[in-house]
Amino acid sequence: MGQQEKVSTSLAGTVIEGISASLAEVDAELDRRYPGDPGTRQPVHTVYVPGNVFDAGTIRSWGDQALAALDEHAPDAHSFAAVLGLSDDLAEDVYGRVRAKLEREPIEDLRVDFEDGYAGQDEDQDAARAARLISEAYAKGTAAPYMGIRMKCMESAVRDRGIRTTDVFLTGLLENGGLPEGLVLTLPKVTYPEQVTAFVRLLEAFEKAHGLDAGRLGFEIQIETSQSILATDGTAAVARMIGAAEGRATGLHYGTFDYSACLGVSAAYQASDHPAADHAKAIMQVAAAGTGVRVSDGSTNILPVGSTEHVHEAWRLHYGLTRRALSRAYYQGWDMHPGHIPTRYAAVFAFYREGFEAAAKRLSAYANHAGGDVMDEPATAKALSSYLLRGIDCGALDTAEVDALTGMNRAALDRFAAPRRGDLTASAE
C-alpha cells in the first residue's frame, strides 16, 4: 500500500450540524414532494368507451376489431411494415408481437366515460353497471390491467352529477367484491387547484364512510384548459394541482381537442404535435418530474376506417405521432378507436426493440464498470433500466433476452430504475 495522506479539517462539527439542521425542513419537503417514480407499470395507452356503450365484451371486441383491421388492410408482416416504414429486421418480430398482444391483452388501460363521450339516459344505472362489469372482469381474469371511469368535472353546471356518479361507481365496486388494484379515476377539465382539493375531500369522505385506508383512492388530472397550465398570477397552475392532490395524483393527461379549442386553434390544426400542445405538455412534464405523477399524451381523431388507402394514411399518422411522443418521454397516450391499437403497439414495440441491444449493453457496462464508448452517469443508468422495464411490461421485450444481455434479473433492474433519493449507484445481482 502507498503512503497514507494526512487528512486535516478546519471546520468544527457544530458547523456541519448547524447546516444540516438549517436544511431539515427542505430535506423533508424534497422527500414529500419528489418521491420519484412509483416503480409500477405504466400502461402505454388509455382507451375510453362511453358508459352507455361499455359492456362485458368490450375489451375482447376491441381486440377482435383490431385483428380484423390487420387481416383486411395489412394481412402480413411485409404489408404492415411497408405502411409504417418498419425496417426489414423488425418487420416480422413487431408484426408477430402486435398480433399476439391483440389476442392476449388488447387494452392496457380502459376508462368508462361519463363525460364528453357519454350519451346515456340513466347515468346512475350505467355507473352501477360499469362497477359490476369491471368487478366481474377482474374476478374472471378478463379485465385490462387498469380500469376505471372518467366522471364529469368539478365545474358548477355538472359538479353534482359528477360527484354522484363517482359515489355510485365506487359504492358499486365495494358491493361487488371491493376496489381492484388496477382502479383508476380520471378527473377532467380541471381549471383551478381548488377543484383538485375538492375532489380530494370527496375521496376522503368516501374512504371514511367505508373504513378504507386513507389515501387508498388516487386519480388522474386531465389537462384541457389554458388556465390549468398558466394561472392568472403567471404561475404554472398544473404544478399547484399536483400539490393540491395531497399525494393522490397518479397522472396528468393531456386533452388534445379541448385544450386546442380553448386556445382558439381551428379544428383542422388540432393535433398532439401542434406547437400549443408541445408547450402544454412540456410544462406538464417539468411540473410532474420527480413527483411520481406520470404524464400522458392525448389522442388523434383521425380514425382508420373506410378504404384501405385511408386506413393506411390514418395508421401512418397515428404511428408517427406515437413514435414522436415516445421520443419526448410521453410513454402513454389516448386511443379512440379499435383501429388505433395495432399502430399503438407497433410504434411502442418498434421503439423498444430498436434500442434494446444498445440500452442493455450500456447498462451492463455501467453496472460492471466495464467502460465503453459512452460515459454514462448514474441518472442515465436509471433511464436505461426504466427503458428496459417498460419494454418488458408492454410485451415489446422478453425477460429472458434482457437478462441475457444485461446479466440482471427483474429485481436488479428495479433497483436501478427506482433508487432511493441520492442513491443512484445500485449494483446488479
Side-chain angles (χ1 to χ4, degrees):
M1 293 179 61
Q3 180 180 351
Q4 294 289 314
E5 295 290 340
K6 179 184 178 182
V7 178
S8 302
T9 62
S10 301
L11 300 176
T14 53
V15 174
I16 298 174
E17 293 171 3
I19 291 173
S20 293
S22 72
L23 292 173
E25 291 186 10
V26 171
D27 293 339
E29 184 80 349
L30 282 170
D31 288 338
R32 183 177 71 84
R33 289 188 179 274
Y34 301 101
D37 189 86
T40 55
R41 176 181 179 180
Q42 181 181 10
V44 303
H45 70 166
T46 300
V47 163
Y48 74 81
V49 178
N52 55 300
V53 174
F54 175 70
D55 61 30
T58 293
I59 294 175
R60 186 62 263 154
S61 173
W62 273 60
D64 290 343
Q65 290 180 68
L67 285 165
L70 283 178
D71 290 341
E72 181 177 357
H73 303 292
D76 53 51
H78 174 75
S79 57
F80 195 50
V83 173
L84 304 181
L86 292 173
S87 61
D88 292 340
D89 60 328
L90 282 177
E92 291 287 349
D93 193 3
V94 168
Y95 189 74
R97 287 176 185 271
V98 168
R99 292 196 70 98
K101 180 78 168 180
L102 295 176
E103 292 167 354
R104 181 185 74 255
E105 189 181 74
I107 295 175
E108 292 197 359
D109 183 26
L110 186 145
R111 209 69 71 249
V112 183
D113 190 24
F114 291 95
E115 204 231 353
D116 284 349
Y118 182 68
Q121 301 301 313
D122 192 334
E123 192 162 333
D124 278 357
Q125 284 295 305
D126 288 336
R129 183 168 59 89
R132 175 177 58 81
L133 292 175
I134 288 175
S135 296
E136 291 174 355
Y138 277 107
K140 295 175 181 177
T142 58
Y146 300 93
M147 298 184 75
I149 64 168
R150 178 170 71 167
M151 68 290 296
K152 290 177 173 62
C153 69
M154 297 298 283
E155 293 179 355
S156 59
V158 294
R159 182 185 303 139
D160 290 352
R161 180 65 262 181
I163 291 172
R164 181 174 175 85
T165 294
T166 304
D167 188 6
V168 169
F169 175 71
L170 292 176
T171 301
L173 289 178
L174 291 178
E175 292 175 345
N176 284 278
L179 304 178
E181 286 300 315
L183 174 65
V184 189
L185 305 173
T186 303
L187 180 65
K189 292 184 176 61
V190 180
T191 304
Y192 279 75
E194 288 80 2
Q195 294 168 330
V196 174
T197 300
F199 198 65
V200 169
R201 299 287 90 82
L202 167 65
L203 298 182
E204 282 180 342
F206 188 89
E207 290 166 348
K208 290 177 182 177
H210 291 279
L212 301 173
D213 291 340
R216 169 63 181 86
L217 295 166
F219 60 98
E220 301 163 339
I221 301 169
Q222 198 155 18
I223 303 301
E224 302 176 89
T225 67
S226 61
Q227 296 92 339
S228 61
I229 295 297
L230 189 67
T232 55
D233 61 359
T235 60
V238 64
R240 293 168 55 206
M241 289 175 184
I242 293 174
E246 299 176 16
R248 293 176 185 264
T250 59
L252 298 176
H253 286 231
Y254 177 68
T256 304
F257 305 104
D258 281 288
Y259 187 86
S260 299
C262 181
L263 267 62
V265 179
S266 61
Y269 298 96
Q270 293 177 0
S272 61
D273 59 351
H274 190 281
D278 285 341
H279 173 260
K281 286 180 287 187
I283 292 177
M284 292 164 58
Q285 190 174 47
V286 172
T291 66
V293 178
R294 289 156 166 174
V295 175
S296 173
D297 198 3
S299 59
T300 176
N301 59 0
I302 306 301
L303 304 184
V305 297
S307 69
T308 294
E309 181 181 6
H310 178 75
V311 169
H312 286 181
E313 183 179 344
W315 274 352
R316 279 189 290 269
L317 172 65
H318 185 245
Y319 178 87
L321 290 173
T322 303
R323 287 299 304 261
R324 183 180 189 273
L326 289 167
S327 70
R328 286 159 171 75
Y330 307 132
Y331 298 112
Q332 185 175 355
W334 282 64
D335 290 328
M336 301 178 68
H337 187 273
H340 283 141
I341 54 179
T343 40
R344 169 70 60 183
Y345 292 132
V348 170
F349 293 169
F351 174 76
Y352 289 111
R353 295 213 64 81
E354 284 174 358
F356 157 55
E357 288 192 13
K361 290 176 180 177
R362 282 177 66 179
L363 183 60
S364 177
Y366 176 87
N368 294 298
H369 309 286
D373 59 358
V374 179
M375 182 179 292
D376 285 320
E377 298 286 341
T380 304
K382 175 180 177 180
L384 289 167
S385 54
S386 295
Y387 174 89
L388 296 173
L389 287 168
R390 289 179 185 279
I392 291 171
D393 285 342
C394 70
L397 306 176
D398 300 323
T399 303
E401 64 179 344
V402 174
D403 194 338
L405 279 186
T406 62
M408 300 181 197
N409 60 19
R410 176 78 191 224
L413 290 172
D414 282 335
R415 285 200 300 274
F416 272 103
R420 298 184 301 275
R421 174 175 296 283
D423 180 17
L424 289 172
T425 57
S427 60
E429 287 187 344

